[in-house]
Amino acid sequence: METLTPLALSHFLMTSSILFVLGLIGFVTRRNLIVMFLCTEMMFQGVALSLVAFAKFHGNVTGQTFVIFVLTIAAAEAALALGLVVMLFRRRGTLDVEAWQTMRG
């Protein structure tokens, strides 16, 4: 089994941190629910990439197994979130977050 060199690990970590930061910037600056949802997915993929890189660097499959498990949970979460976004759009006709700041009981 080939292990990653520290330089290659740093490349993976840099890529994952760039993905995470871009997702965080998109989540904070955008007001569209779908774009915000996609930005959280981008942040999630950055974290998953770093977990896989660390698992490969340490030579075990624990991180990769954890990522597969979390990806499965994230797929279910994505289905629920998109269903919720569709329901919110049908109620107000917009995906702007500002329209959903006040909650009614």
Side-chain angles (χ1 to χ4, degrees):
M1 181 179 209
E2 180 181 318
T3 60
L4 296 174
T5 64
L7 183 61
L9 177 63
S10 67
H11 288 143
F12 284 112
L13 293 179
M14 182 61 73
T15 304
S16 67
S17 64
I18 288 170
L19 280 174
F20 187 85
V21 169
L22 286 176
L24 183 64
I25 290 171
F27 184 82
V28 171
T29 60
R30 301 302 295 257
R31 302 282 53 138
N32 188 316
L33 285 174
I34 291 180
V35 173
M36 292 173 72
F37 175 70
L38 291 176
C39 288
T40 58
E41 290 296 321
M42 185 183 293
M43 289 190 289
F44 174 71
Q45 295 304 318
V47 171
L49 180 62
S50 66
L51 284 174
V52 169
F54 277 123
K56 182 74 174 173
F57 180 73
H58 290 294
N60 61 18
V61 295
T62 305
Q64 295 167 352
T65 305
F66 184 69
V67 167
I68 289 172
F69 175 74
V70 171
L71 282 176
T72 305
I73 300 298
E77 174 260 334
L80 287 173
L82 288 176
L84 182 63
V85 167
V86 169
M87 183 197 71
L88 292 175
F89 180 75
R90 286 183 180 168
R91 284 192 176 195
R92 297 255 172 120
T94 181
L95 291 177
D96 189 15
V97 174
E98 302 292 329
W100 293 99
Q101 285 190 343
T102 58
M103 297 184 78
R104 293 181 292 176

